[in-house]
Structures are given as C-alpha cells and as structure tokens.
Amino acid sequence: MSAEAADREAATCSRPCTPPQTCWFEFLLEESLLEKHLRKACPDPAPVQLIVQFLEQASKPSVNEQNQVQPPPDNKRNRVLKLLALKVAAHLKWDLDILEKSLSVPVLNMLLNELLCVSKVPPGTKHVDMDLAALPPTTAMAILLYNRWAIRTIVQSSFPVKQAKPGPPQLNVMNQMQQEKELTENILKVLKEQAADSILVLEAALKLNKDLYVHTMRTLDLLAMEPGMVNGETESSTAGLKIRTEEMQCQVCYDLGAAYFQQGSTNSAAYENAREKFFRTKELIAEIGSLSLHCTIDEKRLAGYCQACDVLVPSSDNNSQQLTPYSQVHICLRSGSYQEVVQRFIEDNLTFTLPVQFRQSVLRELLQKAQQGNEALDEFCFKVCACNTVRDILEGRAISVQFNQLFLRPNKEKIDFLLEVCSRSISVEKASDSLKGNMAAFLKNVCLGLEDLQYVFMISSHELFMTLLKDEERKLLVDQMRRRSPRVNLCIKPVTSFYDIPASASVNIGQLEHQLILSVDPWRIRQILIELHGMTSERQFWTVSSKWEVPSVYGNVILGIKDNLTRDLVYILMAKGLHCSAVKDFAHAKQLFAACLELVTEFSPKLRQVMLNEMLLLDIHTHEAGMGQSGERPPSDLISRVRGYLEMRLPDIPLRQVVAEECVAFMLNWRENEYLTLQVPAFLLQSNPYVKLGQLLAATCKELPGPKESRRTAKDLWEVVVQICSVSNQHKRGSDGRISLIKQRESTLGIMYRSELLSFIKKLREPLVLTIILSLFVKLHNVREDIVNDITAEHISIWPSSIPNLQSVDFEAVAITVKELVRYTLTINPNNHAWLIIQADIYFATNQHSAALHYYLQAGAVCSDFFNKAVPPDVYTDQVIKRMIKCCSLLNCHTQVAILCQFLREIDYKTAFKSLQEQNSHDAMDSYYDYIWDVTILEYLTYLHHKRGETDKRQIAIKAIGQTELNASNPEEVLQLAAQRRKKKFLQAMAKLYF
C-alpha cells in the first residue's frame, strides 16, 4: 500500500460516530475531542497511558505484499499519532516526574526524540556543540528536557529494583518483556556513553539568563499547520508555556547534583560538585517560594542529599558548633578519633538526636574493622555497644545480642565504663519515671547476670544504683542472688564484707579445677596442680575433665608413672596439647608439648621418644596449614626428621598409626619419590603398610612416563588395592542344615583395611598421586561384568584389564570409594577437568542426567576460560559429547541434542533429525537456532516447519541460514570461526542453564 493510499484510508476512518474497538484512537484526532478527554481524565493517570498507545500505534511495522516486514510508514496517520502523544505530554506540562513514573524508558526515549524533531533540533548534531543562548527558546528547552531525562535515567538505573513477583509463565508475554528489557539496556548504554556530554549541556544551561518556553498543545498545532516554516519565524517558536530562568536552573541544579552524587562512589571529588548543586537548589527554592507552578522538587529527598553531602564533604569551616551530629561522628571515624565517637554517643543519650539505625551502623563498621585484625578496636567496640545498649533500654527496647557477647567476660574496666555511661545518660532530677524504671531494671539485670561478687558490689554500691532502687528493691535483689548462690552471704549495706566471706576447701578446689580446665599455660597448669595436691592427696586430677583424652597406647605408659603429681601433669599437658593441635591452635600446642618433653626427659626415655614423635606430627600440621598452603617446600630439617621417624627401630616404643600415615603422606605430597622408591629400608616395607603403599605410589608416579612394559610397580599396586577391596568368604551352616555364604565387608587379607586406605588417601594433596589412585579405583569399578556405562579417567590404561577372581571383590564398596575419592579430590582442586569428567560420568552412570550435564559443562568451562577459548578435544571427546547428547535427550531438550550433534568429529545427522522431529521439547527450541552452524540441519528445520505449517519458526530458520558467514563458498577459516563462535555462545547458554 502506498503512503497516499494509507493517508486516504486514515482520513476516511478518522471520524466515526462512536469509537470502535479497532481504531479507537482515531476518535481522538480532533483537537476538541482530545482536550475534552484530557480534561475529563485529569488528574487520573489515564493521559499518560494515551502516550503509550499513540506511540505504539505509530511505531507498528508494516508488511508488504511479499510478506516482508517494513519500518513504520511516514504517512499522515502516524504523524498525527505522534503529534497526539506530544500533545498529551504538553497537557501534563512536560513534568518528568509524572512521565518517568508511568512510561518505560523506550517509550519516553521515543517521545523526547519526537520533541527534539518537532523543535527543529538538527539531527546528527551533538547537543554539547550547540549554543543554547543562540537557539530559539522552545528548541533550547527541548534539548534541556532530553538531557535532564538522560542523567535522571542513569541515576535511577543505579538504584536496586525489587523484582516483581512473576505470574503464570506466558511465552508471548515473556518474549515481550525480554525485548523491552534488551531495548532498555541498549538505550541505557547509549545514555551512559553520552553522560559527560549531557552534564556539559546542563552546566551550560545554568549560565543562561533568559526565560525559556516549552511547547503547549497550541504551539504543537501551529507547527503541524506550518511544517515548512523555519523555527523561530512563526508564533510557535516564541509562544508556549513560559519557564522562568530561576525555575529552570533549580530543576537543572537538582538533577546535576543527583548525577554528581551517583558518580561519587567512584570519584570522591564529585561529592564536592554534588554539594554545591544541592545547596544552590535550596537557595533557588527559597527564592522561587510557592509561586512556582513548573518546578517540582522532592524537598525531603533534597534534604537527605544535603545531609549526606555534609557528612561526606564537610564544609571548609570545620567548627564543630556548625557541623551536624552526623558530620561530627563521620569526621571522628575518618580521623580514627574513636574516643570522640564514644563521647558523642554518650551526649546523644541525653538528646536522642542520632537515629538508632545510624548508631548501629557505626558499631557494625567498627566490628568489621576489628574482625579484619585491628585488635585495638575491641575496646571501642564494647564502648560504642554499651552506649547503644543504654540508649536502647532508655527507649524501652530489649538488650542486643551483641552486648551480651561483648559483655560475656566482664572486667573492672568494663563495669566502670558501663556505670559511667549510665550516670551520664540520665539526669535523675529531670528524668521521667519510665526512664528511671528502665535504667533501674537494666542495672538489676546486669547484677543478676554477674558471677563475680566484686563486680556485683561495684554496681550495688554505685550512687546511681542507690538512687534509683529503693531499700525494698535492693533487699529483693539480695534474696534473688542468695537463692541463686546459697553459699554466699550477701550483705545489704555496701561494706567490705564481700571480701570477708569464708570459702570452704571444696569451693577453693572447685575454683582451682575450673582454672585448670581453662588454662593452656603449662607453667600455670603446673602451679595449679601443686596447689591441688597440697590440699588433697586422694584425688586423681587427670580425670577432672572428660574432654581430656590421650590415645590408649600412650595412656598405659603415662598412668604407670608412680608419682601422682607427675602423672597428672604429664597426662594433662599431653591431652591439652593434642586438643590444641586438633583445633589448629599450634602455638599453644607447641608450648604444651615442649613443657611435657622437658618433664619426661628427666625420667622416661620411652615417653621422651613419644613426645618427639608428637612434636614431629605437630610440625607437619603447622607447615601444611601455614607455608605449605602457598606451595612453599618444607625445610630440609623437617624432611630429615620425617625420614628419621620412618627408619626408627627402637623397641617397646608406643606408636600411633596416624603419625606413620602423616609422614608417608607428607613425603608423597612434597614429591620425595626418590627416597620412597630407592632409599627406604627393606624392613620398613615389611613392617609398615603405609610405607609399602607409599613406595608403590611413588614408584608408579616415577615410571608413569615410561613404556607400558616397564610399569611393573603399577601391577603390584593394583594387586595390593584389589586385595584390600576383596572380601573373605565364610561358610556357615544354618538351622535348616543348608550352607550359606557370608561376605566379610572389611577384608583382613590386605595390608590394611579399606577404611584405613581411604583415610590415608584423604591426607594426600599431590595431584599426580591422587590422579593415579583415582584412575586405579575407576578401572577396578569398570572391571565388573555387569557395568553398562564405563567411567573414564586419566592413565587408566596402565592397569590390568581383568581380575582372576571377580567374585572376591566387593564392587559395592569400590563404587562408594570412587564417589568419596572424587568428592575429596574436587575439594583439593575444583578446577581439575579430568576429575570433573569422572564426577560427571558417575552421575551419568547413575541416571542423574542434569547433574551429569552440570559437571560436563563445568569441565569444559574451567579449561576454556568459560568457553571464551576452544575446549581442548581431549576434554570434550566424542564419548563425552555423546553422553551429553544422551543426557539432553532424556531430559527432553531435543533442540540441544541437535546442536550437540554438530560437536562430534562426524556430525550425527540421524540423531539430530530424529530429535528435531520431537514436538514435546522442554528447551527453548527456536531461540537456539542461532547456535546451529551446519546448513544441512538448518535446511531440515526449514523443511520441517514448512511441513507443519509453522511459519514464524520457519522464518527464524531461514534467517539463520541467510547469515553470510555460513555461506558454503566462504574460506574454511571463516566457516570454522563461525562454528567456534556459535559453540562458545551455546555452551555459555547451557552453563547458565545448568550451573
């Protein structure tokens, strides 16, 4: 249809008697009808929705006779609709607050661009290059409106937005929302690129000293009637709604201030500019007063901005009398004057000026700094928390958990400070009864929570306590504390009788035992034990705490010590040292072990060697938890001590199995394979199973690069592990006379139990050793006859392919071990693609297809920089791709199946075509067509959609085929690049779906 024909058609249907549903907007073409409708709708937001409807109708694409989509035609109907949208905005006096609240970013962008167009702003010319003073008033005002909206939109986009609760999923609605979201993001990207220019335009506007005009419905009609006239020569260029200079500057200053404030997070100097603009806005509002009809500023928000700027950028006059309380606290925090912060908070407890939320945020900031290692702040954290707590109780709120935590271990200084805060936070003569009651209840609760009588006396004898609590209340408090602690005779009057209370021997022993449990200082432990043994000789003090545990192999030797004091001291020092080592408090563990070693050296060579062994284990743990984490090799002295332990042949020395485990694991982790392979004494291989296992692992690692025939140690290691995983069959005759077969889970045939082997493996960190062990168990898992899906692993070919007696192997235990080993290895290195593939294969074998896809994709992602590089072919082998295809197929994601068929070295067209024939697909279907690079598959899709009558999907497939980079005549490099780009995008989309 031609433009003239469209105009004639629009003209014929523009005046119906009633507004039909098909062309209701034509009913409003008459100016009188539009104005009448707007007057009726105001102040309802309906006029704003007219803008959306007018612009949507005007921007609808057309379809020609060849069924091709064309841009919206520039005919009379569309021009009238755009003019109607501008008229509605003019009716609303171009109030950006109303327009932004009701219109989306794309619609408002279209509206303001139309305003620029009708205001004769030259297209393609940067606004920053135009002299606003030389432009007609309506043109300059249109430019200002657009640039004000631009920076307001950028600022608004930086705020967090609460996501709307999604309703029932509707494909067309979701597609429309996605399109609008993408369009908004594109517009925002352009606006942010032009933000600097927009700010310069608005800064230039502040220098204007003339009134401006904005288009009204009347001036827009004049422009429509005189389209050929030059702007500035008709009434429409100078007429319109007058905007006074002060009103324009006030709006521009506020918008610039918000933009500068938003930039301050990355450029602190911008806060200065924001402060200047906001305070200028306040001055202009004071000048304009209530006369303004067109300047709408949210004065509460402006006040908040000004207050924030006062805190972030205090004025050059730092006189504390002129600064706000916020600014004073903020300056103290920045300068590190934390004592000043405490004083401000105590003063505020009388005035209640600072909001509770602000005070809590200051405490959170101090606690965060203290947790980051600034121990000097612990004192101020308590002081600020105490100030906040007093403020809370004065206002009737509950005591915070933070105060209870920080007051968990009270001392004299804390009690003194708390009493000082309470005294300075209430004026007893002027305070109301409720405030006095709240403070008295708080002090009583603090007393009831204290165990040390000295601290109770400090509070109960304080002047504030005596003033706020009556004699009857104090007597009641004493009765409560007497019931809680019947041995204590509290005196009502504040006299020194607290210190004269006689304590029985049992009380003193109990107190000393309590200190003995808590202390980790070896010399203090010795002193306490001497005091306890001086008070009674009947007790065994090593039994005081059930938490003190010593391995049984050591306990028999220690408890054989005849001297009671020495026995208790050795036992407690070792138990506390082992506990500190277990909780990684290595410094205290070393002190305790050193004291114990010094003690036992005097009388027991056997216990001396035990302590040397434990100190060796402690040094191994210390290095592994410290410098070893960063890859730094252990000192040669430590390696020599480990060798010495392994070669030790002292008789009758009690040995812990874990020490041998840790020593062998230590040698393997630091690649001391030469020693384990060649230098280990022969007697060790026979007597220590961990040394035997370590020697086989080290030799296998050493021989791994060699030819397969030379890997004899691999075969030996295989036989050892198979024997460990074998079960011993026992025959038992039942009550019915039949003989049944019993399988013993933990085999005694091997050099160790399977649980011990697993425990040892979980002490290893060396990737090659872990890979060898993992591949051995994977191979053992694959050997079973009923296995359907093999698990793949590196170096799997070095192991034998069969076992003479399959029935003897506990394959259920092997499968559990494989899962546990993979889980452990991924904690060591979650980015090892080979281990990730094994985890994926396990999930695949157990029909957990979604989880399998997750790990297959993760394996590809970690070795390709999240698919920005090509995934190595030895990672995504044909077998891996086929398993991914099967997972997608079983998940009914058939389009994904077709795309993955392209990844194979020879494209599997049969599977791809079969999957595309499925109509019950759970994936995004045609939205994946952009990821297909094989033209044959795309042609089949086109045929398939044509056969089904799916025109829209057929068009998408045709569009995908028509991309020039898929042209078969292109060079091979271009085709490969196109395929690689689509592989990347598809795998990234899959990763977002399954991660």
Side-chain angles (χ1 to χ4, degrees), residues 264-284:
S265 58
T266 54
N267 178 17
S268 56
Y271 287 128
E272 292 276 2
N273 294 332
R275 188 181 190 281
E276 177 190 342
K277 294 294 182 288
F278 285 134
F279 280 88
R280 176 58 181 156
T281 305
K282 288 180 71 174
E283 293 171 4
L284 288 168

Side-chain angles (χ1 to χ4, degrees), residues 739-781:
I739 295 176
S740 59
L741 183 65
I742 300 174
K743 287 191 174 182
Q744 192 72 26
R745 281 285 175 219
E746 287 285 355
S747 170
T748 55
L749 301 175
I751 60 174
M752 63 180 70
Y753 291 117
R754 185 182 63 86
S755 57
E756 293 174 338
L757 173 62
L758 191 58
S759 171
F760 171 71
I761 294 170
K762 289 184 178 180
K763 292 179 171 61
L764 300 174
R765 291 183 295 100
E766 171 59 26
L768 182 57
V769 178
L770 288 172
T771 299
I772 286 174
I773 295 172
L774 196 52
S775 69
L776 189 154
F777 274 96
V778 166
K779 183 66 175 182
L780 190 54
H781 173 272

Side-chain angles (χ1 to χ4, degrees), residues 309-329:
C309 289
D310 266 341
V311 171
L312 294 167
V313 189
S315 66
S316 55
D317 181 12
N318 277 338
N319 187 352
S320 60
Q321 299 298 323
Q322 296 180 358
L323 293 173
T324 64
Y326 292 98
S327 300
Q328 293 172 9
V329 172

Side-chain angles (χ1 to χ4, degrees), residues 861-877:
V862 298
C863 61
S864 63
D865 189 19
F866 197 68
F867 304 112
N868 285 306
K869 301 173 185 174
V871 180
D874 59 332
V875 177
Y876 275 1
T877 61

Side-chain angles (χ1 to χ4, degrees), residues 171-207:
L171 189 59
N172 57 341
V173 175
M174 291 174 67
N175 288 339
Q176 186 178 351
M177 290 172 62
Q178 182 63 25
Q179 289 173 4
E180 184 173 328
K181 182 181 177 183
E182 291 176 0
L183 187 56
T184 302
E185 288 174 354
N186 291 335
I187 292 171
L188 276 173
K189 183 179 178 183
V190 173
L191 293 180
K192 287 176 182 177
E193 290 172 356
Q194 298 173 353
D197 288 352
S198 294
I199 289 173
L200 289 175
V201 169
L202 297 181
E203 288 283 6
L206 295 178
K207 299 174 184 176

